[in-house]
Amino acid sequence: MAFIGHQLCRAFSSSTLRSAAIKHVVIVGGGQMGAGIAQVAASTGHQVTLVDTSEAILAKGVKGIETSLKRVVKKKFADKPEAGEAFIAKVLGCVSTATDVTAVVESADLVLEAIVENLKIKQDLFSGIDKVAPEHTIFASNTSSLPIGDIASVTSRLDRFGGLHFFNPVPMMKLVEVIGTSSTSQDTFDSLVNFSKALGKTTVSCKDTPGFIVNRLLVPYMLEAVRLHERGHGSKEDIDVAMKLGAGYPMGPFELLDYVGLDTAKFILDGWSAMDADNPLFAQSPLLNKLVAEGKYGKKTGEGFYKYK
Ligand code: 3HC
Protein backbone atom coordinates (compact mmCIF):
# COMPACT_ATOMS: atom_id res chain seq x y z
CA MET A 1 0.00 0.00 0.00
CA ALA A 2 1.43 3.39 -0.97
CA PHE A 3 0.68 6.15 1.50
CA ILE A 4 1.27 9.61 0.12
CA GLY A 5 0.35 11.57 3.23
CA HIS A 6 -3.01 11.70 4.95
CA GLN A 7 -1.70 14.04 7.65
CA LEU A 8 -1.42 16.75 5.02
CA CYS A 9 -4.97 15.94 4.00
CA ARG A 10 -6.42 16.65 7.43
CA ALA A 11 -4.68 20.02 7.67
CA PHE A 12 -5.89 20.89 4.19
CA SER A 13 -9.45 19.78 4.82
CA SER A 14 -10.12 22.07 7.74
CA SER A 15 -10.86 25.01 5.47
CA THR A 16 -12.95 23.18 2.90
CA LEU A 17 -16.55 22.02 2.84
CA ARG A 18 -16.78 18.42 3.99
CA SER A 19 -19.58 16.10 4.96
CA ALA A 20 -19.67 15.72 8.75
CA ALA A 21 -20.16 11.99 8.52
CA ILE A 22 -18.03 10.92 5.58
CA LYS A 23 -14.33 11.70 5.96
CA HIS A 24 -12.49 8.63 4.75
CA VAL A 25 -13.62 7.26 1.41
CA VAL A 26 -12.43 3.98 -0.04
CA ILE A 27 -12.93 3.97 -3.79
CA VAL A 28 -12.67 0.59 -5.47
CA GLY A 29 -11.75 0.85 -9.15
CA GLY A 30 -8.87 2.98 -10.40
CA GLY A 31 -10.20 3.53 -13.92
CA GLN A 32 -11.46 6.80 -15.35
CA MET A 33 -14.53 7.04 -13.09
CA GLY A 34 -12.89 5.81 -9.89
CA ALA A 35 -9.87 8.06 -10.36
CA GLY A 36 -12.12 11.02 -11.21
CA ILE A 37 -14.19 10.51 -8.06
CA ALA A 38 -10.99 10.11 -6.03
CA GLN A 39 -9.76 13.41 -7.46
CA VAL A 40 -12.83 15.44 -6.51
CA ALA A 41 -13.05 13.79 -3.09
CA ALA A 42 -9.38 14.53 -2.36
CA SER A 43 -9.69 18.06 -3.80
CA THR A 44 -12.39 18.77 -1.23
CA GLY A 45 -10.29 17.53 1.67
CA HIS A 46 -11.54 13.98 2.05
CA GLN A 47 -9.10 11.22 2.90
CA VAL A 48 -9.19 8.87 -0.08
CA THR A 49 -7.92 5.33 -0.55
CA LEU A 50 -8.01 4.21 -4.16
CA VAL A 51 -8.10 0.45 -4.59
CA ASP A 52 -7.51 -1.74 -7.63
CA THR A 53 -6.09 -5.14 -8.42
CA SER A 54 -2.60 -4.08 -9.49
CA GLU A 55 -0.05 -1.39 -8.70
CA ALA A 56 0.18 -0.67 -12.44
CA ILE A 57 -3.52 0.23 -12.71
CA LEU A 58 -3.25 2.35 -9.57
CA ALA A 59 -0.20 4.17 -10.90
CA LYS A 60 -2.13 4.94 -14.10
CA GLY A 61 -5.10 6.17 -12.05
CA VAL A 62 -2.96 8.48 -9.93
CA LYS A 63 -1.20 9.76 -13.06
CA GLY A 64 -4.64 10.54 -14.52
CA ILE A 65 -5.54 12.48 -11.37
CA GLU A 66 -2.33 14.49 -11.66
CA THR A 67 -2.94 15.28 -15.33
CA SER A 68 -6.50 16.36 -14.66
CA LEU A 69 -5.40 18.47 -11.65
CA LYS A 70 -2.94 20.27 -13.90
CA ARG A 71 -5.82 21.26 -16.18
CA VAL A 72 -7.83 22.49 -13.20
CA VAL A 73 -4.89 24.41 -11.76
CA LYS A 74 -4.09 26.08 -15.08
CA LYS A 75 -7.36 28.00 -14.75
CA LYS A 76 -7.76 28.26 -11.00
CA PHE A 77 -4.22 29.44 -10.29
CA ALA A 78 -3.49 31.13 -13.64
CA ASP A 79 -1.49 33.94 -12.01
CA LYS A 80 -0.04 31.87 -9.15
CA PRO A 81 1.74 28.79 -10.55
CA GLU A 82 3.45 28.06 -7.22
CA ALA A 83 0.12 28.00 -5.39
CA GLY A 84 -1.12 25.69 -8.13
CA GLU A 85 1.78 23.29 -7.55
CA ALA A 86 1.10 23.38 -3.80
CA PHE A 87 -2.58 22.62 -4.44
CA ILE A 88 -1.71 19.58 -6.55
CA ALA A 89 0.68 18.32 -3.86
CA LYS A 90 -1.99 18.75 -1.18
CA VAL A 91 -4.63 16.92 -3.19
CA LEU A 92 -2.28 14.05 -4.01
CA GLY A 93 -1.39 14.00 -0.31
CA CYS A 94 -5.00 13.04 0.39
CA VAL A 95 -4.82 9.98 -1.86
CA SER A 96 -3.34 6.65 -0.87
CA THR A 97 -3.54 3.44 -2.86
CA ALA A 98 -4.00 -0.22 -2.04
CA THR A 99 -4.50 -3.55 -3.76
CA ASP A 100 -6.30 -5.28 -0.87
CA VAL A 101 -9.58 -3.58 -0.07
CA THR A 102 -10.23 -5.57 3.09
CA ALA A 103 -7.00 -4.20 4.56
CA VAL A 104 -8.05 -0.54 4.20
CA VAL A 105 -11.74 -0.38 5.15
CA GLU A 106 -11.09 -0.32 8.90
CA SER A 107 -11.55 3.46 9.10
CA ALA A 108 -13.76 3.90 6.03
CA ASP A 109 -16.94 5.94 6.33
CA LEU A 110 -17.87 5.16 2.75
CA VAL A 111 -16.86 2.39 0.34
CA LEU A 112 -17.76 3.33 -3.22
CA GLU A 113 -17.19 0.98 -6.11
CA ALA A 114 -16.57 1.96 -9.73
CA ILE A 115 -15.45 -1.39 -11.12
CA VAL A 116 -16.52 -3.49 -14.10
CA GLU A 117 -20.29 -3.63 -14.79
CA ASN A 118 -20.75 -7.22 -13.70
CA LEU A 119 -23.30 -8.03 -11.00
CA LYS A 120 -21.51 -11.14 -9.67
CA ILE A 121 -18.14 -9.34 -9.41
CA LYS A 122 -19.75 -6.39 -7.61
CA GLN A 123 -21.64 -8.72 -5.26
CA ASP A 124 -18.47 -10.68 -4.46
CA LEU A 125 -16.64 -7.45 -3.72
CA PHE A 126 -19.27 -6.10 -1.31
CA SER A 127 -19.94 -9.45 0.31
CA GLY A 128 -16.24 -9.66 1.21
CA ILE A 129 -16.01 -6.09 2.49
CA ASP A 130 -19.25 -6.48 4.46
CA LYS A 131 -17.56 -9.01 6.74
CA VAL A 132 -14.72 -6.67 7.74
CA ALA A 133 -16.00 -3.08 7.41
CA PRO A 134 -17.10 -1.24 10.55
CA GLU A 135 -20.77 -1.15 11.42
CA HIS A 136 -21.21 2.50 10.43
CA THR A 137 -19.58 2.23 6.99
CA ILE A 138 -21.89 3.07 4.10
CA PHE A 139 -21.56 1.13 0.85
CA ALA A 140 -22.37 2.69 -2.51
CA SER A 141 -22.14 1.73 -6.16
CA ASN A 142 -21.41 3.96 -9.14
CA THR A 143 -23.08 1.46 -11.48
CA SER A 144 -24.56 2.99 -14.62
CA SER A 145 -27.12 0.27 -15.22
CA LEU A 146 -27.32 -2.51 -12.62
CA PRO A 147 -30.00 -2.39 -9.91
CA ILE A 148 -28.47 -1.12 -6.65
CA GLY A 149 -30.81 -3.44 -4.71
CA ASP A 150 -29.38 -6.50 -6.49
CA ILE A 151 -25.81 -5.50 -5.64
CA ALA A 152 -26.76 -4.73 -2.02
CA SER A 153 -28.69 -7.99 -1.58
CA VAL A 154 -25.57 -10.01 -0.64
CA THR A 155 -24.67 -7.72 2.28
CA SER A 156 -25.99 -7.45 5.80
CA ARG A 157 -26.35 -3.67 5.55
CA LEU A 158 -29.25 -3.05 3.20
CA ASP A 159 -30.10 0.14 5.12
CA ARG A 160 -26.55 1.45 4.64
CA PHE A 161 -26.36 0.82 0.91
CA GLY A 162 -27.15 3.26 -1.90
CA GLY A 163 -26.10 4.48 -5.31
CA LEU A 164 -23.87 7.42 -6.21
CA HIS A 165 -23.81 7.87 -9.96
CA PHE A 166 -21.13 10.25 -11.27
CA PHE A 167 -20.58 11.44 -14.84
CA ASN A 168 -17.53 11.46 -17.05
CA PRO A 169 -15.34 13.56 -16.81
CA VAL A 170 -16.04 13.62 -13.08
CA PRO A 171 -14.08 16.82 -12.31
CA MET A 172 -16.13 18.75 -14.89
CA MET A 173 -19.62 17.25 -14.64
CA LYS A 174 -21.59 18.94 -11.89
CA LEU A 175 -24.22 16.26 -11.23
CA VAL A 176 -24.42 13.24 -8.95
CA GLU A 177 -27.48 11.01 -8.99
CA VAL A 178 -28.15 9.71 -5.48
CA ILE A 179 -30.08 6.45 -5.51
CA GLY A 180 -31.99 4.98 -2.62
CA THR A 181 -33.40 1.46 -2.70
CA SER A 182 -36.54 0.50 -0.80
CA SER A 183 -34.23 -0.50 2.09
CA THR A 184 -31.86 2.49 2.13
CA SER A 185 -32.35 4.41 5.38
CA GLN A 186 -33.02 8.14 5.36
CA ASP A 187 -29.78 8.68 7.33
CA THR A 188 -27.77 6.87 4.68
CA PHE A 189 -29.47 8.74 1.85
CA ASP A 190 -28.84 12.08 3.59
CA SER A 191 -25.18 11.18 4.15
CA LEU A 192 -24.77 10.36 0.46
CA VAL A 193 -26.41 13.65 -0.53
CA ASN A 194 -24.25 15.60 1.92
CA PHE A 195 -21.12 13.85 0.73
CA SER A 196 -21.91 14.67 -2.92
CA LYS A 197 -22.58 18.30 -2.00
CA ALA A 198 -19.28 18.42 -0.10
CA LEU A 199 -17.67 17.36 -3.38
CA GLY A 200 -19.15 20.48 -4.95
CA LYS A 201 -21.77 18.58 -6.91
CA THR A 202 -25.48 19.16 -7.38
CA THR A 203 -27.57 16.12 -6.53
CA VAL A 204 -30.81 14.67 -7.78
CA SER A 205 -32.74 11.92 -6.00
CA CYS A 206 -33.34 8.79 -8.03
CA LYS A 207 -35.32 5.62 -7.61
CA ASP A 208 -33.55 2.33 -8.20
CA THR A 209 -34.88 2.06 -11.76
CA PRO A 210 -32.93 1.15 -14.95
CA GLY A 211 -30.64 4.03 -15.97
CA PHE A 212 -31.88 6.23 -13.11
CA ILE A 213 -32.59 9.62 -14.79
CA VAL A 214 -29.67 10.63 -17.02
CA ASN A 215 -28.78 7.34 -18.69
CA ARG A 216 -32.45 6.42 -19.15
CA LEU A 217 -32.77 9.52 -21.34
CA LEU A 218 -29.23 9.80 -22.74
CA VAL A 219 -28.64 6.20 -23.89
CA PRO A 220 -31.86 5.88 -26.00
CA TYR A 221 -31.07 9.32 -27.51
CA MET A 222 -27.54 8.25 -28.50
CA LEU A 223 -28.79 4.93 -29.86
CA GLU A 224 -31.49 6.67 -31.89
CA ALA A 225 -28.71 8.76 -33.48
CA VAL A 226 -26.92 5.52 -34.46
CA ARG A 227 -30.15 4.10 -35.92
CA LEU A 228 -30.78 7.31 -37.84
CA HIS A 229 -27.30 6.94 -39.33
CA GLU A 230 -27.88 3.21 -40.00
CA ARG A 231 -31.03 4.10 -41.95
CA GLY A 232 -28.86 6.35 -44.13
CA HIS A 233 -30.60 9.48 -42.93
CA GLY A 234 -27.48 11.40 -41.92
CA SER A 235 -23.71 11.09 -41.69
CA LYS A 236 -22.33 10.79 -38.19
CA GLU A 237 -20.44 14.04 -38.70
CA ASP A 238 -23.63 15.89 -39.71
CA ILE A 239 -25.63 14.39 -36.83
CA ASP A 240 -22.91 15.49 -34.37
CA VAL A 241 -22.78 19.02 -35.81
CA ALA A 242 -26.59 19.19 -35.83
CA MET A 243 -26.93 18.31 -32.14
CA LYS A 244 -24.07 20.59 -31.09
CA LEU A 245 -25.21 23.65 -33.02
CA GLY A 246 -28.94 22.97 -33.20
CA ALA A 247 -29.49 21.74 -29.66
CA GLY A 248 -26.50 23.25 -27.86
CA TYR A 249 -25.07 19.94 -26.67
CA PRO A 250 -21.32 20.07 -25.87
CA MET A 251 -20.71 16.88 -27.85
CA GLY A 252 -22.66 15.19 -30.62
CA PRO A 253 -24.09 11.70 -29.93
CA PHE A 254 -21.30 9.85 -31.80
CA GLU A 255 -18.60 11.88 -30.07
CA LEU A 256 -20.27 11.21 -26.75
CA LEU A 257 -20.63 7.47 -27.42
CA ASP A 258 -16.92 7.32 -28.20
CA TYR A 259 -16.22 9.28 -25.01
CA VAL A 260 -18.42 7.13 -22.75
CA GLY A 261 -17.22 3.89 -24.42
CA LEU A 262 -19.15 1.79 -26.92
CA ASP A 263 -18.69 -1.28 -24.71
CA THR A 264 -20.34 0.56 -21.82
CA ALA A 265 -23.23 1.75 -24.02
CA LYS A 266 -23.76 -1.79 -25.35
CA PHE A 267 -23.63 -3.27 -21.88
CA ILE A 268 -26.31 -0.85 -20.69
CA LEU A 269 -28.51 -1.50 -23.73
CA ASP A 270 -28.14 -5.29 -23.49
CA GLY A 271 -29.17 -5.22 -19.84
CA TRP A 272 -32.26 -3.20 -20.58
CA SER A 273 -33.30 -5.26 -23.62
CA ALA A 274 -32.96 -8.41 -21.50
CA MET A 275 -35.51 -6.88 -19.11
CA ASP A 276 -37.84 -5.43 -21.75
CA ALA A 277 -37.14 -7.04 -25.13
CA ASP A 278 -40.12 -5.46 -26.90
CA ASN A 279 -39.20 -1.88 -26.09
CA PRO A 280 -38.04 -0.30 -29.40
CA LEU A 281 -35.87 2.15 -27.45
CA PHE A 282 -33.74 -0.80 -26.34
CA ALA A 283 -33.44 -2.42 -29.79
CA GLN A 284 -30.03 -3.72 -30.87
CA SER A 285 -27.91 -1.68 -33.26
CA PRO A 286 -25.94 -3.75 -35.84
CA LEU A 287 -23.37 -0.97 -36.22
CA LEU A 288 -22.76 -0.64 -32.49
CA ASN A 289 -22.51 -4.44 -32.16
CA LYS A 290 -20.00 -4.61 -35.04
CA LEU A 291 -17.72 -1.94 -33.57
CA VAL A 292 -17.80 -3.55 -30.13
CA ALA A 293 -17.07 -7.00 -31.63
CA GLU A 294 -14.03 -5.46 -33.37
CA GLY A 295 -12.78 -4.05 -30.05
CA LYS A 296 -13.42 -0.49 -31.22
CA TYR A 297 -14.71 0.91 -27.94
CA GLY A 298 -14.10 4.61 -28.66
CA LYS A 299 -11.54 7.05 -27.36
CA LYS A 300 -10.01 4.62 -24.87
CA THR A 301 -9.02 2.12 -27.59
CA GLY A 302 -8.10 4.72 -30.21
CA GLU A 303 -11.11 4.01 -32.42
CA GLY A 304 -14.87 3.89 -32.19
CA PHE A 305 -17.13 5.80 -34.54
CA TYR A 306 -14.10 8.05 -35.07
CA LYS A 307 -10.35 7.46 -34.99
CA TYR A 308 -8.16 9.03 -32.28
CA LYS A 309 -4.45 9.66 -32.23
N1 3HC B 1 -10.18 17.17 -15.94
C1 3HC B 1 -10.06 18.48 -15.73
N2 3HC B 1 -10.49 19.40 -16.62
C2 3HC B 1 -11.07 18.95 -17.75
C3 3HC B 1 -11.23 17.57 -18.02
C4 3HC B 1 -10.75 16.66 -17.06
N3 3HC B 1 -10.86 15.33 -17.21
N4 3HC B 1 -11.84 17.45 -19.22
C5 3HC B 1 -12.06 18.68 -19.68
N5 3HC B 1 -11.58 19.58 -18.81
C6 3HC B 1 -11.64 21.05 -18.92
C7 3HC B 1 -10.56 21.58 -19.87
O1 3HC B 1 -9.36 21.82 -19.19
C8 3HC B 1 -11.19 22.84 -20.40
O2 3HC B 1 -10.97 23.93 -19.53
P1 3HC B 1 -10.94 25.43 -20.13
O3 3HC B 1 -12.26 25.65 -20.80
O4 3HC B 1 -10.77 26.28 -18.95
O5 3HC B 1 -9.78 25.44 -21.08
C9 3HC B 1 -12.69 22.54 -20.36
O6 3HC B 1 -12.87 21.40 -19.54
C10 3HC B 1 -13.20 22.25 -21.71
O7 3HC B 1 -12.46 21.15 -22.25
P2 3HC B 1 -12.03 21.04 -23.77
O8 3HC B 1 -11.75 22.41 -24.33
O9 3HC B 1 -10.97 20.02 -23.88
O10 3HC B 1 -13.27 20.39 -24.52
P3 3HC B 1 -14.80 20.71 -24.37
O11 3HC B 1 -15.07 22.17 -24.36
O12 3HC B 1 -15.49 19.87 -25.39
O13 3HC B 1 -15.23 20.13 -22.95
C11 3HC B 1 -16.21 18.30 -21.89
C12 3HC B 1 -15.00 18.82 -22.63
C13 3HC B 1 -16.31 18.95 -20.51
C14 3HC B 1 -15.99 16.80 -21.75
C15 3HC B 1 -17.50 18.62 -22.73
O14 3HC B 1 -17.32 18.26 -24.07
C16 3HC B 1 -18.73 17.93 -22.21
O15 3HC B 1 -19.33 18.37 -21.24
N6 3HC B 1 -19.13 16.83 -22.88
C17 3HC B 1 -20.28 16.05 -22.50
C18 3HC B 1 -19.86 15.06 -21.45
C19 3HC B 1 -21.03 14.23 -20.96
O16 3HC B 1 -22.15 14.30 -21.43
N7 3HC B 1 -20.75 13.37 -19.98
C20 3HC B 1 -21.71 12.45 -19.45
C21 3HC B 1 -21.54 11.14 -20.11
S1 3HC B 1 -22.68 9.93 -19.50
C22 3HC B 1 -21.90 9.27 -18.16
O17 3HC B 1 -20.80 9.59 -17.82
C23 3HC B 1 -22.69 8.26 -17.39
C24 3HC B 1 -22.13 6.88 -17.51
O18 3HC B 1 -22.85 6.05 -16.63
C25 3HC B 1 -22.22 6.32 -18.91
Side-chain angles (χ1 to χ4, degrees), residues 68 71 75 144 165 167-169 172-173 215 250-251 256 260:
S68 175
R71 294 176 83 171
K75 286 174 271 181
S144 49
H165 188 218
F167 297 86
N168 194 15
M172 298 304 297
M173 305 308 284
N215 279 348
M251 286 176 168
L256 189 53
V260 165

Side-chain angles (χ1 to χ4, degrees), residues 30 35 39 50 56-70 92 97:
Q39 179 184 330
L50 189 61
I57 298 172
L58 289 165
K60 199 174 163 203
V62 172
K63 185 86 201 144
I65 293 176
E66 204 176 340
T67 306
S68 175
L69 282 171
K70 282 182 184 156
L92 291 176
T97 60

Side-chain angles (χ1 to χ4, degrees), residues 55-271:
E55 294 290 353
I57 298 172
L58 289 165
K60 199 174 163 203
V62 172
K63 185 86 201 144
I65 293 176
E66 204 176 340
T67 306
S68 175
L69 282 171
K70 282 182 184 156
R71 294 176 83 171
V72 173
V73 154
K74 218 169 149 189
K75 286 174 271 181
K76 209 170 162 185
F77 298 93
D79 304 329
K80 300 178 206 146
E82 278 168 22
E85 289 297 316
F87 176 77
I88 292 174
K90 276 181 182 174
V91 173
L92 291 176
C94 292
V95 181
S96 64
T97 60
T99 50
D100 178 6
V101 67
T102 55
V104 294
V105 293
E106 198 180 29
S107 63
D109 301 309
L110 171 68
V111 178
L112 171 61
E113 70 79 19
I115 60 170
V116 63
E117 285 287 84
N118 178 302
L119 180 62
K120 173 85 170 59
I121 295 176
K122 287 184 197 286
Q123 286 178 330
D124 287 350
L125 171 78
F126 279 119
S127 143
I129 305 172
D130 192 38
K131 295 180 179 77
V132 290
E135 198 63 20
H136 81 280
T137 308
I138 294 174
F139 290 177
S141 171
N142 179 56
T143 180
S144 49
S145 58
L146 297 168
I148 303 293
D150 288 0
I151 305 171
S153 66
V154 296
T155 71
S156 63
R157 55 185 86 208
L158 299 185
D159 57 324
R160 281 151 289 149
F161 207 118
L164 280 181
H165 188 218
F166 289 80
F167 297 86
N168 194 15
V170 179
M172 298 304 297
M173 305 308 284
K174 298 184 176 76
L175 184 74
V176 176
E177 292 178 321
V178 182
I179 302 109
T181 70
S182 53
S183 305
T184 307
S185 72
Q186 192 59 47
D187 266 5
T188 298
F189 192 84
D190 292 346
S191 290
L192 293 175
V193 168
N194 290 339
F195 171 67
S196 306
K197 286 184 177 165
L199 263 49
K201 303 297 184 190
T202 297
T203 59
V204 289
S205 303
C206 296
K207 301 289 176 203
D208 191 14
T209 55
F212 314 126
I213 295 174
V214 173
N215 279 348
R216 181 62 182 77
L217 296 171
L218 191 60
V219 174
Y221 148 72
M222 293 192 292
L223 262 296
E224 190 52 23
V226 180
R227 290 186 202 105
L228 193 146
H229 174 55
E230 283 173 326
R231 291 194 297 270
H233 293 174
S235 71
K236 50 186 191 289
E237 291 81 2
D238 277 355
I239 295 169
D240 277 346
V241 168
M243 292 313 291
K244 283 191 283 189
L245 303 189
Y249 288 14
M251 286 176 168
F254 293 94
E255 292 169 332
L256 189 53
L257 275 165
D258 276 359
Y259 192 70
V260 165
L262 306 194
D263 53 334
T264 304
K266 179 168 165 50
F267 184 87
I268 295 172
L269 195 71
D270 287 352

